[in-house]
PDB file of all heavy atoms in Angstrom:
ATOM      1  N   PHE T 235     198.717-182.334-127.332  1.00  0.00           N
ATOM      2  CA  PHE T 235     199.346-183.177-126.310  1.00  0.00           C
ATOM      3  C   PHE T 235     199.050-182.588-124.937  1.00  0.00           C
ATOM      4  O   PHE T 235     198.731-181.403-124.799  1.00  0.00           O
ATOM      5  CB  PHE T 235     200.861-183.280-126.523  1.00  0.00           C
ATOM      6  CG  PHE T 235     201.581-181.960-126.437  1.00  0.00           C
ATOM      7  CD1 PHE T 235     202.125-181.523-125.242  1.00  0.00           C
ATOM      8  CD2 PHE T 235     201.716-181.160-127.557  1.00  0.00           C
ATOM      9  CE1 PHE T 235     202.795-180.317-125.154  1.00  0.00           C
ATOM     10  CE2 PHE T 235     202.378-179.950-127.483  1.00  0.00           C
ATOM     11  CZ  PHE T 235     202.919-179.521-126.283  1.00  0.00           C
ATOM     12  N   ASP T 236     199.142-183.428-123.928  1.00  0.00           N
ATOM     13  CA  ASP T 236     198.930-183.025-122.532  1.00  0.00           C
ATOM     14  C   ASP T 236     200.266-182.796-121.848  1.00  0.00           C
ATOM     15  O   ASP T 236     201.278-183.418-122.191  1.00  0.00           O
ATOM     16  CB  ASP T 236     198.126-184.086-121.782  1.00  0.00           C
ATOM     17  CG  ASP T 236     196.729-184.261-122.347  1.00  0.00           C
ATOM     18  OD1 ASP T 236     196.173-183.270-122.852  1.00  0.00           O
ATOM     19  OD2 ASP T 236     196.209-185.398-122.295  1.00  0.00           O
ATOM     20  N   SER T 237     200.258-181.933-120.859  1.00  0.00           N
ATOM     21  CA  SER T 237     201.463-181.597-120.111  1.00  0.00           C
ATOM     22  C   SER T 237     201.172-181.752-118.618  1.00  0.00           C
ATOM     23  O   SER T 237     200.435-180.958-118.041  1.00  0.00           O
ATOM     24  CB  SER T 237     201.914-180.166-120.432  1.00  0.00           C
ATOM     25  OG  SER T 237     203.077-179.837-119.720  1.00  0.00           O
ATOM     26  N   TYR T 238     201.752-182.801-118.022  1.00  0.00           N
ATOM     27  CA  TYR T 238     201.543-183.097-116.606  1.00  0.00           C
ATOM     28  C   TYR T 238     202.820-182.780-115.822  1.00  0.00           C
ATOM     29  O   TYR T 238     203.931-182.894-116.347  1.00  0.00           O
ATOM     30  CB  TYR T 238     201.196-184.575-116.399  1.00  0.00           C
ATOM     31  CG  TYR T 238     199.825-184.968-116.886  1.00  0.00           C
ATOM     32  CD1 TYR T 238     199.637-185.380-118.206  1.00  0.00           C
ATOM     33  CD2 TYR T 238     198.727-184.957-116.033  1.00  0.00           C
ATOM     34  CE1 TYR T 238     198.382-185.764-118.668  1.00  0.00           C
ATOM     35  CE2 TYR T 238     197.471-185.339-116.483  1.00  0.00           C
ATOM     36  CZ  TYR T 238     197.302-185.730-117.790  1.00  0.00           C
ATOM     37  OH  TYR T 238     196.065-186.100-118.240  1.00  0.00           O
ATOM     38  N   THR T 239     202.651-182.412-114.570  1.00  0.00           N
ATOM     39  CA  THR T 239     203.802-182.223-113.701  1.00  0.00           C
ATOM     40  C   THR T 239     204.475-183.558-113.422  1.00  0.00           C
ATOM     41  O   THR T 239     203.801-184.592-113.314  1.00  0.00           O
ATOM     42  CB  THR T 239     203.387-181.555-112.383  1.00  0.00           C
ATOM     43  OG1 THR T 239     204.541-181.383-111.556  1.00  0.00           O
ATOM     44  CG2 THR T 239     202.379-182.398-111.631  1.00  0.00           C
ATOM     45  N   ILE T 240     205.794-183.553-113.321  1.00  0.00           N
ATOM     46  CA  ILE T 240     206.540-184.775-113.032  1.00  0.00           C
ATOM     47  C   ILE T 240     206.520-185.019-111.523  1.00  0.00           C
ATOM     48  O   ILE T 240     206.871-184.129-110.749  1.00  0.00           O
ATOM     49  CB  ILE T 240     207.993-184.658-113.532  1.00  0.00           C
ATOM     50  CG1 ILE T 240     208.016-184.493-115.060  1.00  0.00           C
ATOM     51  CG2 ILE T 240     208.807-185.874-113.123  1.00  0.00           C
ATOM     52  CD1 ILE T 240     209.401-184.372-115.640  1.00  0.00           C
ATOM     53  N   PRO T 241     206.089-186.192-111.081  1.00  0.00           N
ATOM     54  CA  PRO T 241     206.073-186.481-109.635  1.00  0.00           C
ATOM     55  C   PRO T 241     207.466-186.336-109.032  1.00  0.00           C
ATOM     56  O   PRO T 241     208.484-186.502-109.708  1.00  0.00           O
ATOM     57  CB  PRO T 241     205.565-187.929-109.563  1.00  0.00           C
ATOM     58  CG  PRO T 241     204.842-188.142-110.849  1.00  0.00           C
ATOM     59  CD  PRO T 241     205.548-187.309-111.872  1.00  0.00           C
ATOM     60  N   GLU T 242     207.485-186.033-107.757  1.00  0.00           N
ATOM     61  CA  GLU T 242     208.754-185.794-107.076  1.00  0.00           C
ATOM     62  C   GLU T 242     209.663-187.015-107.117  1.00  0.00           C
ATOM     63  O   GLU T 242     210.894-186.881-107.213  1.00  0.00           O
ATOM     64  CB  GLU T 242     208.480-185.378-105.629  1.00  0.00           C
ATOM     65  CG  GLU T 242     209.712-184.957-104.851  1.00  0.00           C
ATOM     66  CD  GLU T 242     209.367-184.421-103.471  1.00  0.00           C
ATOM     67  OE1 GLU T 242     208.160-184.326-103.160  1.00  0.00           O
ATOM     68  OE2 GLU T 242     210.306-184.118-102.709  1.00  0.00           O
ATOM     69  N   ASP T 243     209.100-188.203-107.070  1.00  0.00           N
ATOM     70  CA  ASP T 243     209.908-189.420-107.077  1.00  0.00           C
ATOM     71  C   ASP T 243     210.560-189.677-108.432  1.00  0.00           C
ATOM     72  O   ASP T 243     211.530-190.436-108.520  1.00  0.00           O
ATOM     73  CB  ASP T 243     209.049-190.625-106.681  1.00  0.00           C
ATOM     74  CG  ASP T 243     208.521-190.512-105.260  1.00  0.00           C
ATOM     75  OD1 ASP T 243     209.153-189.781-104.456  1.00  0.00           O
ATOM     76  OD2 ASP T 243     207.489-191.129-104.962  1.00  0.00           O
ATOM     77  N   ASP T 244     210.039-189.055-109.500  1.00  0.00           N
ATOM     78  CA  ASP T 244     210.555-189.299-110.852  1.00  0.00           C
ATOM     79  C   ASP T 244     211.483-188.192-111.333  1.00  0.00           C
ATOM     80  O   ASP T 244     211.937-188.234-112.483  1.00  0.00           O
ATOM     81  CB  ASP T 244     209.394-189.452-111.839  1.00  0.00           C
ATOM     82  CG  ASP T 244     208.513-190.646-111.505  1.00  0.00           C
ATOM     83  OD1 ASP T 244     209.024-191.588-110.870  1.00  0.00           O
ATOM     84  OD2 ASP T 244     207.320-190.627-111.877  1.00  0.00           O
ATOM     85  N   LEU T 245     211.747-187.205-110.510  1.00  0.00           N
ATOM     86  CA  LEU T 245     212.597-186.096-110.928  1.00  0.00           C
ATOM     87  C   LEU T 245     214.038-186.550-111.116  1.00  0.00           C
ATOM     88  O   LEU T 245     214.554-187.370-110.352  1.00  0.00           O
ATOM     89  CB  LEU T 245     212.547-184.964-109.894  1.00  0.00           C
ATOM     90  CG  LEU T 245     211.243-184.179-109.792  1.00  0.00           C
ATOM     91  CD1 LEU T 245     211.326-183.187-108.635  1.00  0.00           C
ATOM     92  CD2 LEU T 245     210.940-183.445-111.096  1.00  0.00           C
ATOM     93  N   GLU T 246     214.697-186.001-112.128  1.00  0.00           N
ATOM     94  CA  GLU T 246     216.106-186.254-112.359  1.00  0.00           C
ATOM     95  C   GLU T 246     216.941-185.137-111.748  1.00  0.00           C
ATOM     96  O   GLU T 246     216.417-184.084-111.362  1.00  0.00           O
ATOM     97  CB  GLU T 246     216.376-186.365-113.864  1.00  0.00           C
ATOM     98  CG  GLU T 246     215.633-187.512-114.539  1.00  0.00           C
ATOM     99  CD  GLU T 246     215.920-187.575-116.029  1.00  0.00           C
ATOM    100  OE1 GLU T 246     216.673-186.696-116.516  1.00  0.00           O
ATOM    101  OE2 GLU T 246     215.385-188.481-116.690  1.00  0.00           O
ATOM    102  N   LEU T 247     218.234-185.364-111.679  1.00  0.00           N
ATOM    103  CA  LEU T 247     219.132-184.388-111.088  1.00  0.00           C
ATOM    104  C   LEU T 247     219.091-183.079-111.881  1.00  0.00           C
ATOM    105  O   LEU T 247     219.257-183.069-113.097  1.00  0.00           O
ATOM    106  CB  LEU T 247     220.568-184.936-111.055  1.00  0.00           C
ATOM    107  CG  LEU T 247     221.607-184.048-110.357  1.00  0.00           C
ATOM    108  CD1 LEU T 247     221.280-183.901-108.875  1.00  0.00           C
ATOM    109  CD2 LEU T 247     223.008-184.632-110.546  1.00  0.00           C
ATOM    110  N   GLY T 248     218.855-181.980-111.176  1.00  0.00           N
ATOM    111  CA  GLY T 248     218.785-180.672-111.812  1.00  0.00           C
ATOM    112  C   GLY T 248     217.380-180.202-112.117  1.00  0.00           C
ATOM    113  O   GLY T 248     217.183-179.020-112.424  1.00  0.00           O
ATOM    114  N   GLN T 249     216.373-181.086-112.062  1.00  0.00           N
ATOM    115  CA  GLN T 249     214.998-180.688-112.325  1.00  0.00           C
ATOM    116  C   GLN T 249     214.365-180.106-111.070  1.00  0.00           C
ATOM    117  O   GLN T 249     214.648-180.545-109.956  1.00  0.00           O
ATOM    118  CB  GLN T 249     214.175-181.879-112.819  1.00  0.00           C
ATOM    119  CG  GLN T 249     214.589-182.363-114.189  1.00  0.00           C
ATOM    120  CD  GLN T 249     213.721-183.503-114.681  1.00  0.00           C
ATOM    121  OE1 GLN T 249     213.138-184.258-113.895  1.00  0.00           O
ATOM    122  NE2 GLN T 249     213.623-183.650-115.991  1.00  0.00           N
ATOM    123  N   SER T 250     213.517-179.126-111.264  1.00  0.00           N
ATOM    124  CA  SER T 250     212.907-178.402-110.152  1.00  0.00           C
ATOM    125  C   SER T 250     211.612-179.073-109.719  1.00  0.00           C
ATOM    126  O   SER T 250     210.787-179.450-110.563  1.00  0.00           O
ATOM    127  CB  SER T 250     212.639-176.943-110.550  1.00  0.00           C
ATOM    128  OG  SER T 250     213.838-176.294-110.906  1.00  0.00           O
ATOM    129  N   ARG T 251     211.434-179.173-108.420  1.00  0.00           N
ATOM    130  CA  ARG T 251     210.225-179.772-107.859  1.00  0.00           C
ATOM    131  C   ARG T 251     209.021-178.873-108.121  1.00  0.00           C
ATOM    132  O   ARG T 251     209.076-177.649-107.955  1.00  0.00           O
ATOM    133  CB  ARG T 251     210.404-179.984-106.355  1.00  0.00           C
ATOM    134  CG  ARG T 251     209.178-180.505-105.631  1.00  0.00           C
ATOM    135  CD  ARG T 251     209.463-180.721-104.169  1.00  0.00           C
ATOM    136  NE  ARG T 251     208.285-181.105-103.428  1.00  0.00           N
ATOM    137  CZ  ARG T 251     207.470-180.232-102.834  1.00  0.00           C
ATOM    138  NH1 ARG T 251     207.740-178.942-102.886  1.00  0.00           N
ATOM    139  NH2 ARG T 251     206.401-180.651-102.175  1.00  0.00           N
ATOM    140  N   LEU T 252     207.925-179.482-108.572  1.00  0.00           N
ATOM    141  CA  LEU T 252     206.657-178.806-108.858  1.00  0.00           C
ATOM    142  C   LEU T 252     206.754-177.807-110.016  1.00  0.00           C
ATOM    143  O   LEU T 252     205.844-177.010-110.223  1.00  0.00           O
ATOM    144  CB  LEU T 252     206.110-178.072-107.620  1.00  0.00           C
ATOM    145  CG  LEU T 252     205.792-178.934-106.398  1.00  0.00           C
ATOM    146  CD1 LEU T 252     205.194-178.076-105.291  1.00  0.00           C
ATOM    147  CD2 LEU T 252     204.843-180.061-106.761  1.00  0.00           C
ATOM    148  N   LEU T 253     207.856-177.825-110.769  1.00  0.00           N
ATOM    149  CA  LEU T 253     207.997-176.921-111.906  1.00  0.00           C
ATOM    150  C   LEU T 253     208.235-177.663-113.216  1.00  0.00           C
ATOM    151  O   LEU T 253     208.010-177.084-114.285  1.00  0.00           O
ATOM    152  CB  LEU T 253     209.157-175.931-111.674  1.00  0.00           C
ATOM    153  CG  LEU T 253     208.928-174.816-110.669  1.00  0.00           C
ATOM    154  CD1 LEU T 253     210.176-173.953-110.544  1.00  0.00           C
ATOM    155  CD2 LEU T 253     207.740-173.946-111.061  1.00  0.00           C
ATOM    156  N   GLU T 254     208.679-178.893-113.150  1.00  0.00           N
ATOM    157  CA  GLU T 254     209.021-179.628-114.366  1.00  0.00           C
ATOM    158  C   GLU T 254     207.819-180.431-114.853  1.00  0.00           C
ATOM    159  O   GLU T 254     207.020-180.929-114.048  1.00  0.00           O
ATOM    160  CB  GLU T 254     210.197-180.555-114.095  1.00  0.00           C
ATOM    161  CG  GLU T 254     210.828-181.106-115.368  1.00  0.00           C
ATOM    162  CD  GLU T 254     211.318-180.006-116.293  1.00  0.00           C
ATOM    163  OE1 GLU T 254     212.271-179.304-115.936  1.00  0.00           O
ATOM    164  OE2 GLU T 254     210.708-179.856-117.382  1.00  0.00           O
ATOM    165  N   VAL T 255     207.683-180.528-116.185  1.00  0.00           N
ATOM    166  CA  VAL T 255     206.576-181.265-116.789  1.00  0.00           C
ATOM    167  C   VAL T 255     207.133-182.323-117.733  1.00  0.00           C
ATOM    168  O   VAL T 255     208.299-182.288-118.129  1.00  0.00           O
ATOM    169  CB  VAL T 255     205.634-180.319-117.560  1.00  0.00           C
ATOM    170  CG1 VAL T 255     204.983-179.322-116.618  1.00  0.00           C
ATOM    171  CG2 VAL T 255     206.383-179.593-118.667  1.00  0.00           C
ATOM    172  N   ASP T 256     206.260-183.271-118.116  1.00  0.00           N
ATOM    173  CA  ASP T 256     206.698-184.327-119.021  1.00  0.00           C
ATOM    174  C   ASP T 256     206.763-183.856-120.468  1.00  0.00           C
ATOM    175  O   ASP T 256     207.603-184.315-121.243  1.00  0.00           O
ATOM    176  CB  ASP T 256     205.780-185.543-118.891  1.00  0.00           C
ATOM    177  CG  ASP T 256     204.308-185.183-119.073  1.00  0.00           C
ATOM    178  OD1 ASP T 256     203.989-183.978-119.246  1.00  0.00           O
ATOM    179  OD2 ASP T 256     203.479-186.110-119.036  1.00  0.00           O
ATOM    180  N   ASN T 257     205.880-182.945-120.861  1.00  0.00           N
ATOM    181  CA  ASN T 257     205.872-182.415-122.228  1.00  0.00           C
ATOM    182  C   ASN T 257     205.901-180.893-122.178  1.00  0.00           C
ATOM    183  O   ASN T 257     204.961-180.263-121.677  1.00  0.00           O
ATOM    184  CB  ASN T 257     204.623-182.881-122.987  1.00  0.00           C
ATOM    185  CG  ASN T 257     204.616-184.377-123.201  1.00  0.00           C
ATOM    186  OD1 ASN T 257     205.651-184.976-123.482  1.00  0.00           O
ATOM    187  ND2 ASN T 257     203.446-184.982-123.057  1.00  0.00           N
ATOM    188  N   ARG T 258     206.970-180.312-122.667  1.00  0.00           N
ATOM    189  CA  ARG T 258     207.110-178.856-122.656  1.00  0.00           C
ATOM    190  C   ARG T 258     206.479-178.226-123.892  1.00  0.00           C
ATOM    191  O   ARG T 258     206.341-178.882-124.927  1.00  0.00           O
ATOM    192  CB  ARG T 258     208.590-178.468-122.591  1.00  0.00           C
ATOM    193  CG  ARG T 258     209.311-178.921-121.326  1.00  0.00           C
ATOM    194  CD  ARG T 258     210.799-178.656-121.433  1.00  0.00           C
ATOM    195  NE  ARG T 258     211.504-178.957-120.190  1.00  0.00           N
ATOM    196  CZ  ARG T 258     212.817-178.884-120.046  1.00  0.00           C
ATOM    197  NH1 ARG T 258     213.579-178.529-121.073  1.00  0.00           N
ATOM    198  NH2 ARG T 258     213.383-179.168-118.884  1.00  0.00           N
ATOM    199  N   VAL T 259     206.132-176.954-123.761  1.00  0.00           N
ATOM    200  CA  VAL T 259     205.673-176.176-124.907  1.00  0.00           C
ATOM    201  C   VAL T 259     206.903-175.733-125.682  1.00  0.00           C
ATOM    202  O   VAL T 259     207.765-175.030-125.147  1.00  0.00           O
ATOM    203  CB  VAL T 259     204.845-174.956-124.467  1.00  0.00           C
ATOM    204  CG1 VAL T 259     204.316-174.220-125.682  1.00  0.00           C
ATOM    205  CG2 VAL T 259     203.706-175.383-123.565  1.00  0.00           C
ATOM    206  N   VAL T 260     207.000-176.119-126.930  1.00  0.00           N
ATOM    207  CA  VAL T 260     208.157-175.805-127.767  1.00  0.00           C
ATOM    208  C   VAL T 260     207.789-174.668-128.696  1.00  0.00           C
ATOM    209  O   VAL T 260     206.791-174.737-129.423  1.00  0.00           O
ATOM    210  CB  VAL T 260     208.602-177.044-128.566  1.00  0.00           C
ATOM    211  CG1 VAL T 260     209.806-176.708-129.437  1.00  0.00           C
ATOM    212  CG2 VAL T 260     208.930-178.190-127.621  1.00  0.00           C
ATOM    213  N   VAL T 261     208.605-173.604-128.684  1.00  0.00           N
ATOM    214  CA  VAL T 261     208.343-172.428-129.514  1.00  0.00           C
ATOM    215  C   VAL T 261     209.639-171.990-130.185  1.00  0.00           C
ATOM    216  O   VAL T 261     210.732-172.246-129.673  1.00  0.00           O
ATOM    217  CB  VAL T 261     207.763-171.257-128.687  1.00  0.00           C
ATOM    218  CG1 VAL T 261     206.436-171.651-128.058  1.00  0.00           C
ATOM    219  CG2 VAL T 261     208.748-170.797-127.626  1.00  0.00           C
ATOM    220  N   PRO T 262     209.551-171.318-131.333  1.00  0.00           N
ATOM    221  CA  PRO T 262     210.750-170.775-131.978  1.00  0.00           C
ATOM    222  C   PRO T 262     211.073-169.392-131.430  1.00  0.00           C
ATOM    223  O   PRO T 262     210.195-168.672-130.947  1.00  0.00           O
ATOM    224  CB  PRO T 262     210.352-170.704-133.454  1.00  0.00           C
ATOM    225  CG  PRO T 262     208.865-170.496-133.414  1.00  0.00           C
ATOM    226  CD  PRO T 262     208.367-171.223-132.193  1.00  0.00           C
ATOM    227  N   THR T 263     212.324-169.013-131.502  1.00  0.00           N
ATOM    228  CA  THR T 263     212.747-167.689-131.039  1.00  0.00           C
ATOM    229  C   THR T 263     212.567-166.656-132.148  1.00  0.00           C
ATOM    230  O   THR T 263     212.539-166.996-133.340  1.00  0.00           O
ATOM    231  CB  THR T 263     214.219-167.704-130.607  1.00  0.00           C
ATOM    232  OG1 THR T 263     215.032-168.117-131.719  1.00  0.00           O
ATOM    233  CG2 THR T 263     214.427-168.664-129.456  1.00  0.00           C
ATOM    234  N   LYS T 264     212.435-165.407-131.723  1.00  0.00           N
ATOM    235  CA  LYS T 264     212.334-164.261-132.636  1.00  0.00           C
ATOM    236  C   LYS T 264     211.245-164.470-133.677  1.00  0.00           C
ATOM    237  O   LYS T 264     211.425-164.228-134.864  1.00  0.00           O
ATOM    238  CB  LYS T 264     213.686-163.986-133.300  1.00  0.00           C
ATOM    239  CG  LYS T 264     214.781-163.631-132.294  1.00  0.00           C
ATOM    240  CD  LYS T 264     216.096-163.337-132.967  1.00  0.00           C
ATOM    241  CE  LYS T 264     217.155-162.972-131.911  1.00  0.00           C
ATOM    242  NZ  LYS T 264     218.470-162.686-132.508  1.00  0.00           N
ATOM    243  N   THR T 265     210.104-164.936-133.186  1.00  0.00           N
ATOM    244  CA  THR T 265     208.936-165.196-134.036  1.00  0.00           C
ATOM    245  C   THR T 265     207.700-164.685-133.319  1.00  0.00           C
ATOM    246  O   THR T 265     207.556-164.862-132.107  1.00  0.00           O
ATOM    247  CB  THR T 265     208.785-166.706-134.313  1.00  0.00           C
ATOM    248  OG1 THR T 265     209.996-167.203-134.895  1.00  0.00           O
ATOM    249  CG2 THR T 265     207.624-166.968-135.258  1.00  0.00           C
ATOM    250  N   HIS T 266     206.808-164.055-134.055  1.00  0.00           N
ATOM    251  CA  HIS T 266     205.564-163.557-133.470  1.00  0.00           C
ATOM    252  C   HIS T 266     204.632-164.732-133.183  1.00  0.00           C
ATOM    253  O   HIS T 266     204.216-165.447-134.096  1.00  0.00           O
ATOM    254  CB  HIS T 266     204.880-162.556-134.399  1.00  0.00           C
ATOM    255  CG  HIS T 266     205.592-161.242-134.479  1.00  0.00           C
ATOM    256  ND1 HIS T 266     205.684-160.387-133.402  1.00  0.00           N
ATOM    257  CD2 HIS T 266     206.258-160.644-135.497  1.00  0.00           C
ATOM    258  CE1 HIS T 266     206.356-159.310-133.746  1.00  0.00           C
ATOM    259  NE2 HIS T 266     206.727-159.434-135.003  1.00  0.00           N
ATOM    260  N   LEU T 267     204.320-164.916-131.904  1.00  0.00           N
ATOM    261  CA  LEU T 267     203.480-166.022-131.472  1.00  0.00           C
ATOM    262  C   LEU T 267     202.175-165.490-130.899  1.00  0.00           C
ATOM    263  O   LEU T 267     202.154-164.458-130.224  1.00  0.00           O
ATOM    264  CB  LEU T 267     204.197-166.858-130.399  1.00  0.00           C
ATOM    265  CG  LEU T 267     205.605-167.342-130.721  1.00  0.00           C
ATOM    266  CD1 LEU T 267     206.209-168.040-129.514  1.00  0.00           C
ATOM    267  CD2 LEU T 267     205.599-168.273-131.921  1.00  0.00           C
ATOM    268  N   ARG T 268     201.112-166.214-131.156  1.00  0.00           N
ATOM    269  CA  ARG T 268     199.818-165.916-130.543  1.00  0.00           C
ATOM    270  C   ARG T 268     199.429-167.093-129.660  1.00  0.00           C
ATOM    271  O   ARG T 268     199.353-168.221-130.128  1.00  0.00           O
ATOM    272  CB  ARG T 268     198.741-165.662-131.596  1.00  0.00           C
ATOM    273  CG  ARG T 268     197.350-165.445-130.981  1.00  0.00           C
ATOM    274  CD  ARG T 268     196.343-165.072-132.044  1.00  0.00           C
ATOM    275  NE  ARG T 268     196.227-166.111-133.065  1.00  0.00           N
ATOM    276  CZ  ARG T 268     195.495-165.979-134.171  1.00  0.00           C
ATOM    277  NH1 ARG T 268     194.849-164.862-134.395  1.00  0.00           N
ATOM    278  NH2 ARG T 268     195.447-166.970-135.057  1.00  0.00           N
ATOM    279  N   ILE T 269     199.187-166.804-128.385  1.00  0.00           N
ATOM    280  CA  ILE T 269     198.790-167.838-127.433  1.00  0.00           C
ATOM    281  C   ILE T 269     197.337-167.602-127.049  1.00  0.00           C
ATOM    282  O   ILE T 269     196.988-166.523-126.558  1.00  0.00           O
ATOM    283  CB  ILE T 269     199.690-167.823-126.188  1.00  0.00           C
ATOM    284  CG1 ILE T 269     201.145-168.081-126.589  1.00  0.00           C
ATOM    285  CG2 ILE T 269     199.231-168.884-125.193  1.00  0.00           C
ATOM    286  CD1 ILE T 269     202.113-168.033-125.431  1.00  0.00           C
ATOM    287  N   ILE T 270     196.509-168.600-127.292  1.00  0.00           N
ATOM    288  CA  ILE T 270     195.088-168.548-126.948  1.00  0.00           C
ATOM    289  C   ILE T 270     194.852-169.488-125.773  1.00  0.00           C
ATOM    290  O   ILE T 270     195.290-170.644-125.801  1.00  0.00           O
ATOM    291  CB  ILE T 270     194.209-168.944-128.145  1.00  0.00           C
ATOM    292  CG1 ILE T 270     194.466-168.007-129.328  1.00  0.00           C
ATOM    293  CG2 ILE T 270     192.736-168.934-127.769  1.00  0.00           C
ATOM    294  CD1 ILE T 270     193.717-168.399-130.583  1.00  0.00           C
ATOM    295  N   VAL T 271     194.192-168.999-124.757  1.00  0.00           N
ATOM    296  CA  VAL T 271     193.963-169.810-123.558  1.00  0.00           C
ATOM    297  C   VAL T 271     192.480-169.895-123.260  1.00  0.00           C
ATOM    298  O   VAL T 271     191.711-168.955-123.505  1.00  0.00           O
ATOM    299  CB  VAL T 271     194.714-169.230-122.334  1.00  0.00           C
ATOM    300  CG1 VAL T 271     196.209-169.295-122.538  1.00  0.00           C
ATOM    301  CG2 VAL T 271     194.290-167.808-122.063  1.00  0.00           C
ATOM    302  N   THR T 272     192.083-171.039-122.725  1.00  0.00           N
ATOM    303  CA  THR T 272     190.706-171.259-122.286  1.00  0.00           C
ATOM    304  C   THR T 272     190.704-172.442-121.322  1.00  0.00           C
ATOM    305  O   THR T 272     191.566-173.319-121.430  1.00  0.00           O
ATOM    306  CB  THR T 272     189.771-171.542-123.490  1.00  0.00           C
ATOM    307  OG1 THR T 272     188.409-171.571-123.044  1.00  0.00           O
ATOM    308  CG2 THR T 272     190.109-172.863-124.140  1.00  0.00           C
ATOM    309  N   PRO T 273     189.777-172.491-120.373  1.00  0.00           N
ATOM    310  CA  PRO T 273     189.727-173.641-119.452  1.00  0.00           C
ATOM    311  C   PRO T 273     188.720-174.685-119.909  1.00  0.00           C
ATOM    312  O   PRO T 273     187.801-174.394-120.673  1.00  0.00           O
ATOM    313  CB  PRO T 273     189.304-172.986-118.138  1.00  0.00           C
ATOM    314  CG  PRO T 273     188.392-171.880-118.575  1.00  0.00           C
ATOM    315  CD  PRO T 273     188.906-171.398-119.915  1.00  0.00           C
TER     316      PRO T 273
END
């Protein structure tokens, strides 16, 4: 899935400008995770 920033006009109360996205990365707690990155 893609994760885009939410435009300022679409922000809801409590959401941070230029920090909130439409699809967040969901991870479990207390679990060994490997994150691979590439452009």
